[in-house]
Amino acid sequence: MTTLASVLGVTTVAGVATGIGALPVFFRHRVTHRIYDGALGLSAGLMVAASVFGLVIPGMEEGTLRAVMAGVLLGGATLLGGNYLIPHLHAEYRAWFVEGGATADDAAVMEPPTGDSVAEGVATRGSAAEGGDAEPESVDEDAGTLAERESSLRKALLIGGAITLHNAPEGLAIGVAFASGLEEVALLLAVVIGLQNVPDGFAFAVPMAETGMSNLRVVWYTTLSGVVPQVVAAVFGFSLVSVGAGLFPVSSGFAAGAMLAVVFRELIPSSHGHGHADAATGAFLVGFVLLVVVDAVVVV
């Protein structure tokens, strides 16, 4: 019988794979737009194959076609609805795309500093001293510090919203599979989701590194972005079965629908339109084939 500790361990390993995808930020000056679009295409191919072979087919083997398809529609609708209702930022190549009520100003604060902030601060203090108005300077500094903290918190919430929308359904499916006694299916899901998390982490880390954040912090936050939502969702899914049995077909369809919506709503559009559509398409096919081969080997 699977324990909660096993669920935590498996989903944590799958989530940590996201951090592996962030390692290229140490060499990001060599990351071209073609490579970035190819990574998005690779992730899309992995996700489509994972949706079909790791979620839809196992769901149909354990339940009915109606239950799985209902889950697919519900998962897709939830992801699309969340895109409009939850303010968040999507990582793009050295840029950020706003959705769900986020603003252009939210994306602007993710940009790296354009000048020497220390020098600018000295110049500002020098100008204030010449004017002999020291008290307003102190008030301005306090207000600036507060605004900076609020901006940092909003950035974290906006990025976290996007990550949760993408990763939570996958963790949910793993947790429900374990709780339903489908250990082999759950392990297969963990493997394919871990594979898919690698290019996902890369796609998230590159624009994050362009904000001026240190490489180690980028890797750390990228790893957390995969671990936290998937582990929390897996634990939730694991506990759901105690409420109602036979939830795996619906939950697997739900995760598949959400993943397919991410692919066609974000990954494919983001990887095309920059002159590298062929590279992205080729990477998509490679990702799809890789996942199918892995699925066949793990099942055997």
Side-chain angles (χ1 to χ4, degrees), residues 33 37 40 266-281:
H33 210 320
D37 286 351
L40 292 179
E266 297 166 17
L267 297 183
I268 291 179
S270 295
S271 63
H272 288 63
H274 313 120
H276 311 301
D278 289 345
T281 302

Side-chain angles (χ1 to χ4, degrees), residues 163-274:
I163 294 166
T164 301
L165 282 171
H166 294 183
N167 290 341
E170 302 162 4
L172 178 67
I174 294 176
V176 173
F178 270 124
S180 302
L182 306 173
E183 286 83 5
E184 292 185 0
V185 173
L187 291 174
L188 173 62
L189 282 175
V191 170
V192 299
I193 288 171
L195 282 174
Q196 171 249 307
N197 280 342
V198 175
D200 266 5
F202 175 79
F204 172 76
V206 171
M208 177 65 77
E210 292 300 314
T211 64
M213 186 181 297
S214 69
N215 291 335
L216 289 176
R217 289 183 67 187
V218 169
V219 173
W220 173 243
Y221 289 140
T222 302
T223 303
L224 289 180
S225 76
V227 172
V228 175
Q230 288 185 351
V231 169
V232 171
V235 171
F236 176 72
F238 188 75
S239 63
L240 271 183
V241 176
S242 62
V243 178
L247 291 178
F248 178 72
V250 176
S251 67
S252 64
F254 182 91
M259 291 171 67
L260 291 173
V262 168
V263 169
F264 289 97
R265 176 69 170 76
E266 297 166 17
L267 297 183
I268 291 179
S270 295
S271 63
H272 288 63
H274 313 120

Side-chain angles (χ1 to χ4, degrees), residues 33-46:
H33 210 320
R34 180 186 298 274
I35 294 174
Y36 187 80
D37 286 351
L40 292 179
L42 180 67
S43 181
L46 289 168

